[in-house]
Every structure is written in C-alpha cells, then in structure tokens.
Amino acid sequence: MEARLPKETYKSLLKTITEGTPLDPDVADVVANAMKDWAIENGCTHYTHWFQPMTGKTAEKHDAFIEPDEKGTVIMEFSGKNLVMGEPDASSFPSGGLRATFEARGYTAWDPTSYAFIKDTSLCIPTSFISYTGQVLDKKTPLLRSMEAIDREAKRVLKFFSKEPKKVVSYVGPEQEYFLVDRDLYSQREDLMMTGRTLFGAMPPKGQELEDHYFGQIKERVASFMREVDEELWKLGIYSKTKHNEVAPAQHEVAPVFSTTNVAADHNQLTMEIMKKVAKRHNMICLLHEKPYEGINGSGKHNNWSIGTSEGENLLKPGKNPKDNVQFLLFLAAIVKAVDDYPELLRLSVATAGNDHRLGANEAPPAIVSIYLGDQLENVVEELVSGKKTKEEALGILDTGVASLPSLSKDTTDRNRTSPFAFTGNRFEFRMPGSSQSISGINIVINTIVADALSQFADELEGSTNIHHDAMDVAIRAFKKHKKVIFNGNGYSDDWVAEAEKRGLPNLKTTPDALPYFASEKSLNLFEKHGVFTKVETQTRTEIMLEDYYKALNIEVLTMIDMAKQQILPACLKYSKFLVEGVTEKEALGISVPNEKASVQKVSALTEALIDNIAALEDVNAKVPEGDGEVIAKYYKDAALPAMADLRATADKLETVVAKDYWPFPTYVDLLYRI
C-alpha cells in the first residue's frame, strides 16, 4: 500500500486501519485503482467481496474487471463504488427467519481493517454482509461491533490511569487441530464424505495409549503437506508459525502468530480452506470435524485471546509484582467477572453437534466453564480477598542437573489443559472451541462480556479522587463475588463436577441445553447494550444454530441407516452364509465343529440385533416432531443419539467378528495408520 498509494491516501487509510477512524470517501477510488493494478499485475482477472455468512464458512461472488467501452472493446476497471459495496443475493443464506426467501437483496461492505489478498486469479476483498433492512447476516459485522465495544470500554478504564491510547484492540492466535486421511480410503467411507466423521468403527489394536505420536517425528508425506500449507499461507500474509503431531494417530496442529481478532478470524477461515485444498494435492483429505474417530482424541481450536493498546501495551501482562499492578488486577477482575456472569454464553459459543462429542472427553475441557489463573495469581487473588498474607513461591531458575545444559527461567504460571479458560502468562487460552468452528462467534462473546464488565467498572470509578485505592477496591469486590469460577485443579475429575454444582456453576452438556440461553433476557440486554446484536438478530441466530444442530444429526441418522442397510447388513449376511456352508460341508463329512457353529450363532445373533437397531433408528427418524428448533433439537438429542449409539455398538461388534475381506469399508487401522 505504501509503495502504490499517494502519501496522503496511504496515511488516511492507515489511520482507519490502526485507529478505527471512519473511512474517508475520497480514498476509495484511489485505493480501488491501486488494488486493481496490483491484482492484474499478479495475474488476476476478477475480484470478489469475500464474506462470512452464518454457514460458518466463507462465500464469494466473482466479477471480472472488464467493462465495455464505446468502441466495442473492453477496458480493465475497478471503481471505489465496486470496492466499498457489493450486492450478492442473500436469499439462500441462513437468516433464522430474518428474511423471507423471496427477499433476496443483501449488501457487502468493505472491511478496510482486514487486508485484501489474491487467491487463484481473483482479488479477494474482506467484507461484512448485511440485509436490505440493515440487519446483519454474517459473523464479521457483529465481531467488528464487539471489537468497538471493548475498545470503547477499555479506554474508559485506562483514562483513570491517565492513559489515552488511540485504540484498544483484542488479539487472537487460534491453534488449529486437524486429522489427515488417505483420499482413496476416505472415498470408500460414506460417513466421512457425508458427515466428516466415522459413524461406525471398532477401535484398532493400538490407539494413542503409548503417547508416541505427540510431538513425534512427522511422516514424510505429512511433512510435505505441511510444508506446502506454510508456503500457501505465507503467500496470503498468514504467519503460520508452529506445526507438530498431536496426541492421536494421524492428528496434527498448526498455529499462527497473533493478529487482531477480525484479521485472525479471516485468516483462520483461509487456513482451513488452504489445508483442505493442499491435502487433496497430496492425495489426502483434511478432516476438521471435532470427533472423526470414536475412542481417541478429537480436535479443538484453542483460542488464545488478549487485549492491548495500539501503542503496544499488553493489558494482560502482570508485571514483576502483579499484586501491586492495580491496572492489571482491574482488567483481570473484569475477565473473572465476565466469565462468572456469562458462563452460559461462553458454553453456547462453542455449541455444535460435533463439539458435543469432544467436550468432557480427555482431550478437551469439560462443559463446565471455569477459569484457571495459576498458583501465583490465585495466591494474589486469595490475599486480596482474605486480607491475609499468602505464601509466595519464588519463581527462580529450574536446575536441570546437567552442567552442560542451560538454566531455565520458570514461568509465572503452569498450563492447565483441563481448564476451559486458562491464563497462560499474558493472555487467556479458551480451549473449548471445536476445530471446524469459525472463531468469530467465540470472540464476539468474549469481547462483549469483557466489555460489559469494564463498562460496569468504569461506571463505579466515575468521579474517583483516589484511583489507586478505588480501583483496587473495585477489583477486590469483584474477586470476592466471582471467585467461585476460579478453579486450578483437574477439570476431568468427578470431584470437580460435584464441586462445580455446589458452587452453582452450570454444566450444560449438550448444544440443546446451552443454546436457549443465547436468547435469554439477560443475553438480549447485554448484546443490545453494547450494540453488538439487536434482539431480533440474537433470536434469529439462536434458530440458525439449533437448525444447524438437528440438520447435522439428521444427516448422520440417514447416513447410518444407509450404510447399515446397504453395506454392513449385506456383508454380514454374506459372511454368515460362508460360515454356514463351511459348517454344513464339514458336518456332512462327519466332522464335529462346535466352535465354528458357535461363531455362526454369534454372527447371526449380532446380525439380528443389527436389523432391530436399524428398524429402531428408522422409527426414531420417522417420528421427528413438528415445532420450533428447540423442540426438534431436543428430540434428536434424546431419541436419535441413543438409537445411533445402539446401532453403532452392534455394528462395531460385528466388525470384530466378520472377516476383513467381507467388511465393506476401511477400518480404523486403515484410516489412522495408512498415511
């Protein structure tokens, strides 16, 4: 931009990007022309307004730069109007009843704070997406609103400390977990193709119990894929930083450098797209489902969140003496308060049919939302709340006991992988999000609830004449009231479930349990107060998320029935016939084969049970009630999921007794180890 734009235009646009000032209309035409020239020089023929509808994926409509002239030829043109606004058809995107199908008009609006990029032969312009009536139809617009809310309220608090930054920004670094599977094997599994996860599959002899895959040597084929992913991401300005094997076989992770939240959200959508595209070039498929395989770890997307000023101050940095750092303690207290005030919102922000399989298992935090501070900060909070001096543990140096190895400086806090919302030194790691999710909705919630706590603190501190004393008092009162949400222990233990119930912390185990809280009066008031969602927008999003849940389960039910009837049952009958013929032939020769007969009886009994399970699941699917999304979602949770589990259990038992040559699709051994 600096090389191609006039100096004053560049300064004006940069001010919009870094400080959030309104875009100067005169800038658009100049920027559009420079973008066009840059894009054409790099082989582009088209441009597209790239946006994030409520599908959780991205959308794009491509238009050529060509414009006819009076001579009957064409010129390459791209105006400021084309840059600033587009008009994709909005009728077929989820709206939760916000728009009728025949009400098709929608608008895209350029987001100048997220950089344009070139993908294939198109100039991609990140945009927001709104309806003809001005209501939001996407994930970006409310995310930008939430960023403005936290900017506004954090500035109010910082002003008491004689600081007036140009902008306070929320930052995110999303760690992306994923699985790789051979493309040829994938194409033989209808469940993977239709749903992204295996609906059938017995455990392999070796899973992850040896813990040898985590951070292990990367296989050559996978390393080649990772190398190309890095190259493709770097081309797009996405700073992919870390890559490694994850805990489960065939599971891996990629993590970028931190970015502002809206840019991080854009980049994560692109990262998922690029990984899928590159995997196919290597004859693999990238699986982003939260639980592709039963019985081994699923995949999450750890959302590392922090806030800082445009001048470079990290507002979550404790400093050498955190108990004397009043500003830090106030911001920490705001986050503790936010998590305790709105645990239901944090839970529902990660509520999907896929993530329900993962939360509470050993690879993910429980559905109970709590906050981990680490020993040092927990001691600080306890000292402030009780007024009693606590034992301070010296951080010091870790001695390896080997003279040739360097001494290691100990961090101020350990890591707690069982905590949903854990402080990790200068940021919070929200570990609950699922791997396939857009991080926009997650960070809309985090930004808004923290902005709300900061807003209340700012109201309390208005007119203060002794800010050090009064701010500390506000923080202490918040810690006293909300410390029940602080938990540094093992989130996997049954003791914590019981303890959390005593503390009054909600345990919303499934998506239908959590989503109704989105449209509660408390939530409606919160989002409306901070200008993030109108009440109608909040209510319609609830319907969209409930619909996504039961539609996903409906597809899984139909896929299970299809695979069981057309693949598993015929295979079992064929194998049973093979066994019977063998027994019959031997008995005709006078050979006694009691064990073989027992095998026939076992396969036959399981096959009969399979037929019963198929009929039961078909019956469940035939009786889906009419009603709103909440009613249907609860039905699928209460009726379909148990019937699916029964069918799977029987089929998985059959897989262990039917000869591999007869089994109709690749097993877990094939999928997890043949890559």
Side-chain angles (χ1 to χ4, degrees):
M1 289 190 296
E2 187 174 16
R4 291 176 176 270
L5 294 174
K7 189 175 182 179
E8 292 307 312
T9 304
Y10 173 72
K11 283 183 177 179
S12 177
L13 181 57
L14 198 63
K15 193 172 183 181
T16 297
I17 293 170
T18 59
E19 299 178 26
T21 57
L23 180 70
D24 183 346
D26 296 334
V27 164
D29 276 325
V30 181
V31 173
N33 192 59
M35 275 189 181
K36 178 205 69 177
D37 291 345
W38 171 67
I40 291 172
E41 287 172 20
N42 283 279
C44 290
T45 56
H46 289 67
Y47 69 92
T48 178
H49 275 200
W50 185 80
F51 58 99
Q52 299 177 37
M54 288 298 295
T55 57
K57 296 178 174 60
T58 58
E60 48 199 59
K61 181 189 78 168
H62 299 255
D63 290 299
F65 286 118
I66 58 171
E67 291 289 344
D69 64 11
E70 295 175 354
K71 299 177 183 179
T73 58
V74 295
I75 58 174
M76 304 296 270
E77 196 168 81
F78 184 53
S79 67
K81 182 180 178 182
N82 295 142
L83 169 63
V84 170
M85 190 176 84
E87 190 187 328
D89 192 315
S91 62
S92 296
F93 290 109
S95 72
L98 197 62
R99 300 282 282 156
T101 303
F102 64 86
E103 297 174 315
R105 195 179 295 277
Y107 299 110
T108 49
W110 175 36
D111 172 18
T113 65
S114 187
Y115 300 116
F117 56 92
I118 290 171
K119 183 160 64 79
D120 300 323
T121 58
S122 288
L123 170 68
C124 299
I125 302 156
T127 59
S128 63
F129 181 44
I130 60 174
S131 73
Y132 180 71
T133 55
Q135 292 158 318
V136 297
L137 297 173
D138 70 339
K139 291 177 175 287
K140 165 160 278 198
T141 308
L143 179 61
L144 293 171
R145 290 173 178 177
S146 74
M147 292 174 69
E148 287 191 352
I150 204 164
D151 172 47
R152 182 173 58 249
E153 301 304 337
K155 280 179 180 174
R156 289 181 63 200
V157 171
L158 289 173
K159 197 169 184 179
F160 296 115
F161 296 91
S162 302
K163 296 178 181 179
E164 297 191 38
K166 292 177 180 177
K167 194 174 184 181
V168 174
V169 184
S170 62
Y171 296 93
V172 169
E175 303 169 29
Q176 177 70 57
E177 296 175 344
Y178 60 95
F179 281 85
L180 291 173
V181 62
D182 184 89
R183 189 176 183 179
D184 295 333
L185 297 174
Y186 167 89
S187 66
Q188 298 173 55
R189 296 278 314 210
E190 183 181 340
D191 48 4
L192 281 178
M193 290 192 293
M194 294 294 104
T195 73
R197 77 180 183 104
T198 53
L199 301 173
F200 300 102
M203 280 294 291
K206 177 180 181 288
Q208 62 190 52
E209 54 269 66
L210 294 181
E211 300 171 337
D212 55 342
H213 191 258
Y214 191 49
F215 281 21
Q217 182 180 347
I218 299 170
K219 292 180 180 179
E220 187 175 343
R221 185 181 183 188
V222 175
S224 178
F225 158 80
M226 288 179 168
R227 185 163 53 249
E228 188 175 348
V229 166
D230 279 342
E231 290 170 358
E232 292 296 329
L233 293 178
W234 293 338
K235 286 178 187 177
L236 294 170
I238 301 171
Y239 304 123
S240 173
K241 179 77 171 176
T242 303
K243 56 186 179 183
H244 61 83
N245 288 349
E246 256 299 333
V247 174
Q251 186 187 34
H252 313 278
E253 181 180 293
V254 61
V257 175
F258 278 62
S259 306
T260 55
T261 304
N262 64 313
V263 172
D266 286 352
H267 284 182
N268 186 248
Q269 293 296 124
L270 280 169
T271 297
M272 292 189 286
E273 177 185 331
I274 293 298
M275 288 196 303
K276 288 180 177 180
K277 187 183 295 185
V278 172
K280 289 179 180 178
R281 295 177 195 161
H282 293 258
N283 202 37
M284 296 187 290
I285 295 293
C286 177
L287 299 177
L288 293 173
H289 194 284
E290 285 73 21
K291 197 74 171 178
Y293 304 105
E294 188 72 24
I296 66 172
N297 280 16
S299 295
K301 179 152 27 198
H302 303 157
N303 190 84
N304 293 280
W305 178 91
S306 66
I307 47 175
T309 68
S310 52
E311 289 74 19
E313 181 184 6
N314 185 334
L315 300 176
L316 297 184
K317 191 172 183 178
K320 292 183 179 179
N321 298 299
K323 67 180 178 182
D324 298 324
N325 189 341
V326 179
Q327 178 187 293
F328 164 74
L329 290 172
L330 195 62
F331 275 89
L332 180 65
I335 294 168
V336 171
K337 171 179 167 57
V339 173
D340 189 38
D341 280 344
Y342 295 100
E344 298 90 353
L345 280 182
L346 284 168
R347 169 65 182 93
L348 68 85
S349 74
V350 301
T352 66
N355 211 25
D356 280 358
H357 294 291
R358 169 181 164 267
L359 291 177
N362 284 340
E363 76 274 11
I368 304 165
V369 176
S370 63
I371 193 167
Y372 169 84
L373 296 182
D375 292 339
Q376 184 190 33
L377 286 185
E378 188 178 39
N379 287 340
V380 169
V381 170
E382 186 57 38
E383 186 173 318
L384 292 173
V385 168
S386 67
K388 298 177 182 178
K389 182 77 173 175
T390 58
K391 181 183 177 182
E392 290 189 15
E393 182 182 345
L395 296 178
I397 303 297
L398 292 174
D399 183 8
T400 61
V402 180
S404 61
L405 295 180
S407 299
L408 303 175
S409 299
K410 189 176 178 181
D411 284 314
T412 58
T413 177
D414 197 353
R415 289 189 175 181
N416 188 332
R417 67 191 302 273
T418 72
S419 175
F421 207 81
F423 185 72
T424 57
N426 59 6
R427 62 187 184 272
F428 279 91
E429 182 181 27
F430 187 34
R431 297 181 59 89
M432 294 179 80
S435 55
S436 67
Q437 284 189 268
S438 161
I439 63 169
S440 292
I442 296 154
N443 289 291
I444 288 168
V445 169
I446 296 174
N447 286 344
T448 306
I449 64 177
V450 173
D452 189 62
L454 291 172
S455 174
Q456 293 180 48
F457 286 179
D459 289 345
E460 290 185 60
L461 292 171
E462 287 291 344
S464 171
T465 56
N466 186 344
I467 193 61
H468 186 281
H469 174 275
D470 294 344
M472 184 66 87
D473 183 59
V474 168
I476 290 171
R477 282 190 280 115
F479 285 135
K480 283 182 178 178
K481 183 176 181 181
H482 301 287
K483 70 173 185 175
K484 69 178 184 291
V485 80
I486 300 172
F487 178 65
N488 279 5
N490 181 9
Y492 293 159
S493 70
D494 293 335
D495 291 342
W496 168 234
V497 176
E499 173 63 23
E501 187 176 0
K502 288 180 185 177
R503 295 188 187 190
L505 301 180
N507 186 4
L508 304 172
K509 295 181 179 180
T510 70
T511 293
D513 296 331
L515 285 183
Y517 286 94
F518 196 36
S520 68
E521 197 64 29
K522 182 180 178 182
S523 298
L524 294 173
N525 292 337
L526 168 77
F527 289 120
E528 196 166 47
K529 172 186 174 182
H530 295 284
V532 175
F533 292 123
T534 64
K535 288 189 176 183
V536 172
E537 288 167 350
T538 307
Q539 290 164 337
T540 53
R541 270 167 167 70
T542 304
E543 283 300 313
I544 291 170
M545 290 188 289
L546 285 166
E547 192 174 285
D548 284 345
Y549 175 83
Y550 69 72
K551 282 184 175 179
L553 288 186
N554 176 249
I555 292 169
E556 290 188 355
V557 166
L558 295 175
T559 303
M560 284 194 88
I561 292 170
D562 194 43
M563 291 178 72
K565 289 174 71 173
Q566 297 190 29
Q567 293 180 283
I568 298 174
L569 181 57
C572 294
L573 293 173
K574 188 175 181 181
Y575 181 62
S576 183
K577 181 182 177 183
F578 165 76
L579 291 177
V580 169
E581 288 175 350
V583 169
T584 303
E585 289 174 3
K586 290 179 180 179
E587 287 187 329
L589 296 172
I591 302 171
S592 177
V593 285
N595 291 333
E596 290 184 38
K597 290 177 75 173
S599 294
V600 171
Q601 291 169 348
K602 184 174 184 180
V603 172
S604 297
L606 285 171
T607 303
E608 283 296 309
L610 182 76
I611 294 169
D612 290 340
N613 293 148
I614 293 170
L617 187 56
E618 287 181 316
D619 185 57
V620 166
N621 200 50
K623 294 178 179 178
V624 178
E626 295 183 0
D628 60 19
E630 188 175 348
V631 170
I632 300 173
K634 285 184 176 178
Y635 175 80
Y636 271 96
K637 179 197 75 171
D638 295 334
L641 284 176
M644 291 168 68
D646 290 342
L647 175 55
R648 175 170 189 151
T650 303
D652 290 355
K653 287 178 184 176
L654 278 162
E655 183 186 325
T656 65
V657 296
V658 172
K660 185 172 177 59
D661 288 346
Y662 285 82
W663 199 249
F665 41 72
T667 65
Y668 274 20
V669 171
D670 302 317
L671 299 172
L672 291 167
Y673 293 100
R674 292 183 180 173
I675 192 167

